[in-house]
Amino acid sequence: MALSIVLIVICVIFSAFFSAAESALSSLNHIRLKSMAGEGNKRAKAAMWFEDHLSSMFTTILIGNTLANVIAATVSVFFWLEAAKLNWGATGAVSAAVMLVILLIFGEVSPKILAGKAPEKFVSIFAPLLRFFYYAFYPLNFLMKLLKALLDKLFKEKKETAITDDELMTIVDEAQTEGGLDEYEGRLIRSAIEFDDRTVVDILTPRVEVEAIEKGTPMEKVLSVYRETGYTRLPVYVDSIDNVVGVINEKDFLNLYLDGAGSFDPIITPVVCATPRMKISVLLRRLQKEKSHLAVVVDEFGGTMGVVTMEDIIEELVGEIWDEHDEVVENFAKVDEGRYFVQGEVTLADFFEYFGIKKDPSEFETVTLGGLIAQLAGKVPAVGEEVKFENLTLKVLSVEYYKVTQAEVTVSSTQEGAKSRSEEE
C-alpha cells in the first residue's frame, strides 16, 4: 500500500509538472524572453532553445502527461482493491472518482494557473528538465511526427505562411500591453507597418498652397519669396504652374545672389514627378536615388496637383516635425465635452482614427476633412453650414479659396462616451 501511495504521488507530481510546462510554453512571451536573454540571463538563453522546438515539446508534454495519468489511475485501482477489499466494479468507480478530483485539482488546474502567471520564469528554471524529457521521449516523439506527416498527407490544408499587417498590429499591441514596448515605440512600429499603404495623394500639399516662382523672375523678387515663406526649396515653372521645370535651393540661390548674378537659371535642378496613387515608400526611394527633397505631383492630364517633400514622407513615420519657421497649429482642439475644432486639411485617415470611425478612407473621393464636408454637402459649403456624418455633426467655421479650413465637430453622447473610454485606455 505504501508503495502504491508513493507511486501515485510521484505520478501526480509529474502530471502537475507537464501541465504547468504546457501552460508556460503556450503563454510564453518570446519578446520578454529575448529581452531577459539579452540582459545576460543564462537560464533565459537556455530557454530560447524551445522557440525552435515548440511543436516537438508539446508532443513530449502530451506523452509525459498521458503516461503519468495512466500510471496513477492504474496504481489507484490496485490500491483501492487492497485497501477497501471491494469488487472490481466498485473499486473502478471509487478509484476514478478520487483520481479525477486529485488530478483535476493538483495535476491540471492549479499548476496551469501558477505557471501561467510567470511562464518565462518557469521555462527558464525547468529548461534542463524539459530538455531531458525531450530526449528521453524522442523515439515516441519521432513516431508521433510520422503519424502527423501521414495525417497531413491524408488531410491536406492550404497553409498561409505570410504574416498579415493585422497580425503584426496584434503582436505590437500585445508587446505594448505586456511592457515590451512603450507607447512611442508602439506608435512608431505601427506607422512603419502602415507606411506602405499610404499614397502620395494622402500627404501632398495641394496646388493652391504651393509657393512657386516663374523662370526669369528678378532675383530680388525671389529673395522676398524666400523671406516671406521660410521655405528652403521653390519649384520653378514656365508660363504656368502646370509646367514645372525644376527646383531651386535657398543656399544655392543666396550664394548666387551674393555673387551678383542676374539670373538663377544655373542652379535650377531637375524635378522629380510623382503620380497621386504612387506609394510614398516608392517615392521615398526615388527621392533618395535622385538626391532630391521635393517632388511635384501631376494628375492624369499633366497638370500640377501639388508637391510632396521628404519631410512630409518622414512625418508619416515619426509624426509632425516642427522647425523654427513653422506655425504650430493644433489639428484637433477639444472645446468642451463632445465639441471639437478640427482643421480642414486633416486627412480622413487621421480624422477617422481620432473619432474611432470604422471606415476605409480610400472608399471616399477625397482625402481631407474639408473635402469630405464638400462631398457630403454636394457643393462648396459656406460658413455656418452643417452636414451629418455617422454620429458626428460637421459645421463649417471658415472657408478660404473655396475650401473648408476649419470645422466644428460635435459628437453624439454615445460616441463621446466610447471615445472618452478609448482615451483613458
Side-chain angles (χ1 to χ4, degrees):
M1 289 180 62
L3 180 60
S4 297
I5 294 175
V6 171
L7 285 173
I8 290 173
V9 170
I10 292 173
C11 288
V12 171
I13 291 174
F14 275 111
S15 177
F17 170 74
F18 288 119
S19 297
E22 180 185 6
S23 176
L25 288 174
S26 298
S27 54
L28 192 64
N29 187 322
H30 300 288
I31 296 174
R32 187 175 300 165
L33 192 63
K34 286 182 179 179
S35 177
M36 291 168 61
E39 293 171 358
N41 189 319
K42 293 182 179 180
R43 290 182 180 272
K45 288 181 180 179
M48 292 286 292
W49 178 85
F50 295 106
E51 286 197 342
D52 299 324
H53 301 83
L54 272 181
S55 178
S56 297
M57 276 308 306
F58 281 125
T59 305
T60 298
I61 289 169
L62 179 61
I63 294 171
N65 209 356
T66 302
L67 286 174
N69 291 342
V70 169
I71 293 172
T74 303
V75 174
S76 175
V77 171
F78 287 103
F79 170 80
W80 287 106
L81 273 174
E82 186 179 350
K85 305 299 182 183
L86 300 174
N87 58 45
W88 278 99
T91 299
V94 172
S95 175
V98 173
M99 290 308 299
L100 175 64
V101 174
I102 292 174
L103 289 174
L104 190 63
I105 295 175
F106 299 105
E108 293 290 336
V109 178
S110 298
K112 284 186 175 180
I113 292 174
L114 294 174
K117 290 182 177 180
E120 296 81 20
K121 187 175 181 180
F122 179 91
V123 174
S124 298
I125 293 173
F126 292 102
L129 186 57
L130 286 170
R131 290 189 69 170
F132 167 78
F133 282 112
Y134 173 82
Y135 292 114
F137 294 149
Y138 190 81
L140 290 173
N141 214 330
F142 180 72
L143 292 176
M144 294 300 104
K145 284 183 179 179
L146 293 179
L147 177 61
K148 180 180 180 299
L150 177 61
L151 293 175
D152 287 342
K153 286 185 177 181
L154 293 176
F155 304 97
K156 291 183 179 180
E157 184 178 355
K158 188 177 180 181
K159 293 183 178 180
E160 295 183 2
T161 55
I163 299 178
T164 64
D165 287 353
D166 290 338
E167 290 171 337
L168 284 173
M169 289 291 193
T170 302
I171 293 172
V172 174
D173 290 339
E174 290 177 353
Q176 189 171 335
T177 301
E178 295 172 2
L181 297 172
D182 60 31
E183 183 180 353
Y184 175 75
E185 291 170 333
R187 186 167 64 249
L188 190 62
I189 295 173
R190 290 190 193 91
S191 298
I193 294 171
E194 296 174 341
F195 186 70
D196 199 48
D197 295 331
R198 305 302 294 272
T199 57
V200 168
V201 72
D202 295 326
I203 65 170
L204 65 80
T205 299
R207 173 192 175 112
V208 294
E209 296 179 10
V210 173
E211 287 287 348
I213 55 172
E214 188 173 6
K215 190 175 181 180
T217 301
M219 298 289 279
E220 289 75 13
K221 173 71 176 189
V222 178
L223 181 62
S224 66
V225 173
Y226 273 122
R227 283 176 172 171
E228 291 170 5
T229 63
Y231 294 147
T232 57
R233 290 171 180 82
L234 292 174
V236 179
Y237 63 87
V238 175
D239 297 332
S240 166
I241 196 173
D242 287 321
N243 185 27
V244 176
V245 294
V247 179
I248 60 171
N249 183 284
E250 182 186 27
K251 288 183 179 179
D252 295 335
F253 173 80
L254 290 177
N255 288 333
L256 205 63
Y257 180 80
L258 292 174
D259 288 341
S263 171
F264 54 80
D265 289 359
I267 61 170
I268 298 176
T269 57
V271 65
V272 175
C273 292
T275 59
R277 293 301 171 185
M278 178 185 287
K279 300 284 187 182
I280 61 174
S281 57
V282 175
L283 179 58
L284 176 61
R285 288 192 292 271
R286 186 171 177 192
L287 288 173
Q288 289 174 317
K289 182 180 178 181
E290 300 290 337
K291 296 180 177 57
S292 178
H293 284 252
L294 183 144
V296 174
V297 185
V298 295
D299 59 23
E300 59 184 309
F301 304 106
T304 299
M305 287 185 64
V307 298
V308 173
T309 65
M310 182 80 78
E311 181 178 317
D312 294 330
I313 299 175
I314 294 174
E315 284 180 338
E316 290 301 306
L317 281 174
V318 300
E320 290 293 331
I321 301 173
W322 304 99
D323 61 31
E324 59 273 18
H325 299 293
D326 289 335
E327 180 184 353
V328 180
V329 177
E330 289 291 337
N331 287 331
F332 300 91
K334 187 172 183 178
V335 182
D336 51 40
E337 199 65 27
R339 197 160 66 96
Y340 302 80
F341 287 164
V342 184
Q343 300 300 315
E345 63 185 16
V346 165
T347 65
L348 288 185
D350 292 340
F351 180 74
F352 289 172
E353 180 181 359
Y354 189 84
F355 288 101
I357 298 172
K358 304 299 182 182
K359 283 187 175 293
D360 185 358
S362 63
E363 296 176 358
F364 297 83
E365 297 176 358
T366 180
V367 296
T368 65
L369 173 61
L372 175 64
I373 295 174
Q375 182 180 332
L376 295 173
K379 61 177 181 177
V380 177
V383 174
E385 280 195 55
E386 295 183 357
V387 294
K388 296 285 187 180
F389 180 72
E390 296 290 306
N391 291 328
L392 307 176
T393 300
L394 313 177
K395 181 180 179 181
V396 179
L397 294 182
S398 62
V399 177
E400 292 181 12
Y401 301 110
Y402 305 105
K403 70 171 184 176
V404 177
T405 55
Q406 190 178 55
E408 177 186 280
V409 179
T410 305
V411 190
S412 68
S413 57
T414 303
Q415 186 159 338
E416 174 62 21
K419 176 170 172 53
S420 297
R421 289 193 297 273
S422 175
E423 289 177 345
E424 289 175 2
E425 294 174 357

